Amino acid sequence: MARIALVTGGTRGIGAQISIALKQAGRVVVASYAGNPEAAAAFTAATGIEAIKFDAGNYEESLAAVKDIETRHGGHIEVLVNNAGITRDSVFGKMSRDMWDAVIDTNLGSCFNLCKATFDGMKGNKFGRIVNIGSINGQAGQYGQVNYAAAKSGIHGFTKALAQEGARYNVTVNAVAPGYVDTDMVRAVPPDVLEKIIAKIPRGRLGTAHDIARGVAFLTADDADFITGSTLSINGGQHMY
Ligand code: CAA
């Protein structure tokens, strides 16, 4: 039976390409979204991939969503991609506690929530592939992103710790650290700032969502069982870590 995959934030941007790549790899894919039903409906119409709405940053909603998926599909989720992420960029002096909480809950709390909901099922099946989407800015820091850099850096620590617990059950836990990728999130960066960032990318361009998705497909393959606790940086050479 085809393995069930869940991609959070899987209907737009990088997540949408990840959902498509996992479908192409033969997975039964469910993509979650939190706030854009029109984009989700268009994504499902274009790809045939099921989209469900829940807030990955909310613990109860995440547990309920996983239970619902597993009941309807008659099996455990065995491939999980924690991709959901937001930015609330601001210089530290102007960053509110709400901007901190929103980014920590959505970007890092979601990894806890979804891993909590799926890890036992993966362990029981002696198969699991978890990929957490970190960021170049979690590795290197970034001006105006104390909240985001902390959350993404936390993801890298989370990944290495959970990888140690999953290994004996063939549950691998890895991170992908994208650089600047041509998505709505990056297009929201002021153009003059973005221009300076692109000038520092050795490959000379922004990444594409496909550049990231192929890394996720690689790490979630059935025969990728010896790769765990690693971070795959996909950033055009901008930061070598
Ligand atoms: N290094 C040093 N100084 C910087 C700087 C940098 N990287 N960026 C801005 N500054 C300086 C500016 O030159 C300016 O100085 P002056 O007042 O002396 O001119 C000062 O900081 C304030 O900058 P802004 O005028 O831009 O201030 P702002 O309050 O309007 O905006 C900001 C601040 C929100 C941080 C804005 O600069 C910004 O959006 N920067 C980009 C942040 C970024 O890269 N976000 C990534 C989003 S994509 C993503 O996160 C995906 C991923 O994983 C890669």
Side-chain angles (χ1 to χ4, degrees), residues 105-191:
D105 287 351
T106 300
N107 298 14
L108 181 57
S110 59
C111 294
F112 179 87
N113 298 341
L114 274 312
C115 287
K116 194 80 182 161
T118 56
F119 196 63
D120 282 349
M122 292 181 186
K123 274 165 66 178
N125 283 8
K126 295 273 187 299
F127 184 94
R129 297 284 177 268
I130 297 172
V131 174
N132 301 316
I133 305 300
S135 168
I136 186 173
N137 294 348
Q139 296 170 313
Q142 169 64 6
Y143 194 100
Q145 284 203 310
V146 164
N147 49 4
Y148 188 89
K152 292 295 189 179
S153 191
I155 284 176
H156 293 299
F158 178 101
T159 299
K160 289 183 264 191
L162 193 61
Q164 295 182 26
E165 296 193 24
R168 76 183 64 170
Y169 305 101
N170 185 25
V171 177
T172 65
V173 190
N174 292 288
V176 167
Y180 281 72
V181 177
D182 192 7
T183 60
D184 290 347
M185 184 184 274
V186 165
R187 276 178 230 121
V189 173

Side-chain angles (χ1 to χ4, degrees), residues 3-10 18-19 22 27-33 50 52 54 56 62 65-66 69 77-83 114-115 117-118 122 129 131:
R3 300 188 193 278
I4 305 166
L6 172 63
V7 182
T8 64
I18 293 172
S19 297
L22 295 190
R27 310 309 194 186
V28 173
V29 180
V30 179
S32 81
Y33 66 100
E50 175 187 343
I52 62 165
F54 69 93
S62 299
V66 167
I69 293 165
I77 291 168
E78 295 185 305
V79 179
L80 170 66
V81 183
N82 286 308
N83 165 75
L114 274 312
C115 287
T118 56
M122 292 181 186
R129 297 284 177 268
V131 174

